[in-house]
Amino acid sequence: MKSIAVFCGSSLGNNDIYAQAAEQLGIVLAETGKRLIYGGGKVGLMGLIADTALRNNGEVTGILPRFLEAKEVGHTGLTELLLVDTMHERKKKMSELADGFIAMPGGFGTLDELAEILTWIQLGLIKKPIALLNVNEYFNALNQQLDHMVYEGFLRKENRDLLLTGDDAAQLLRDMENLVLPDTEKWLFSEGI
């Protein structure tokens, strides 16, 4: 993997541990030579991870919808800033440029990006690893909900297993690199998705 898209909050959260984790991920990405692909903002965890990667000689590509640039939240010091028209175009461009995806703590935008990319992987539209960086057990409830969806018959276990989870950035990247994604055609059209 040469590039990782990171989905995360445009705020810092209420606990310093989230900022520390964003900085650590930025350092790990830079030190391992992986380009950061992210939403292009200069605020919150998004801005912090970008700044940290850049400070550590990493390369950073931001993908920003024009309406957000107009609100002056775009990061102007990136290796590359790509402007798009819509949020959907942002996700599509991120999916094209990234070799893998990591979600950190965030809000609706982070959940939206995570869910759409997971759906695209499930459907076989892209075949790339995706993971949760579970800082401060932030995603425990989400993981429980996904397990409940399997239990209730709305999510296949094969699809549930597409989403890795870990709390150490370096180990999570190693797990992503070692992941062998299933051949979706074997089970995509069987009963239920």
Side-chain angles (χ1 to χ4, degrees), residues 31-138:
E31 288 180 348
T32 57
K34 292 176 178 33
R35 177 181 282 259
L36 168 63
I37 310 292
Y38 86 115
K42 65 181 177 184
V43 295
L45 296 181
M46 289 174 48
L48 188 56
I49 191 172
D51 288 340
T52 304
L54 290 166
R55 271 195 313 274
N56 287 275
N57 300 314
E59 294 187 350
V60 179
T61 296
I63 303 167
L64 188 70
R66 285 182 175 83
F67 77 90
L68 288 178
E69 181 193 34
K71 295 182 181 205
E72 298 181 358
V73 299
H75 197 304
T76 58
L78 304 177
T79 309
E80 178 181 36
L81 179 64
L82 305 175
L83 297 178
V84 295
D85 290 325
T86 67
M87 297 293 280
H88 182 74
E89 285 180 61
R90 172 198 256 177
K91 288 179 283 190
K92 183 175 185 301
K93 186 55 111 174
M94 291 174 92
S95 76
E96 292 168 355
L97 295 178
D99 298 317
F101 307 88
I102 293 177
M104 288 191 64
F108 283 154
T110 301
L111 286 177
D112 170 60
E113 291 164 331
L114 174 66
E116 186 149 4
I117 296 298
L118 267 171
T119 302
W120 293 354
I121 294 170
Q122 171 186 275
L123 294 173
L125 300 175
I126 56 177
K127 191 170 183 175
K128 301 175 183 182
I130 187 166
L132 301 173
L133 184 54
N134 195 20
V135 180
N136 199 32
E137 301 181 346
Y138 185 82

Side-chain angles (χ1 to χ4, degrees), residues 1 99-101 117-118 120-122 124-131 158-164 175-187:
M1 292 186 306
D99 298 317
F101 307 88
I117 296 298
L118 267 171
W120 293 354
I121 294 170
Q122 171 186 275
L125 300 175
I126 56 177
K127 191 170 183 175
K128 301 175 183 182
I130 187 166
E158 295 94 336
N159 293 337
R160 166 66 179 100
D161 291 343
L162 294 172
L163 183 61
L164 300 175
D175 292 345
M176 292 170 69
E177 291 200 11
N178 293 325
L179 180 68
V180 177
L181 289 166
D183 180 4
T184 56
E185 292 179 14
K186 290 183 180 177
W187 47 264

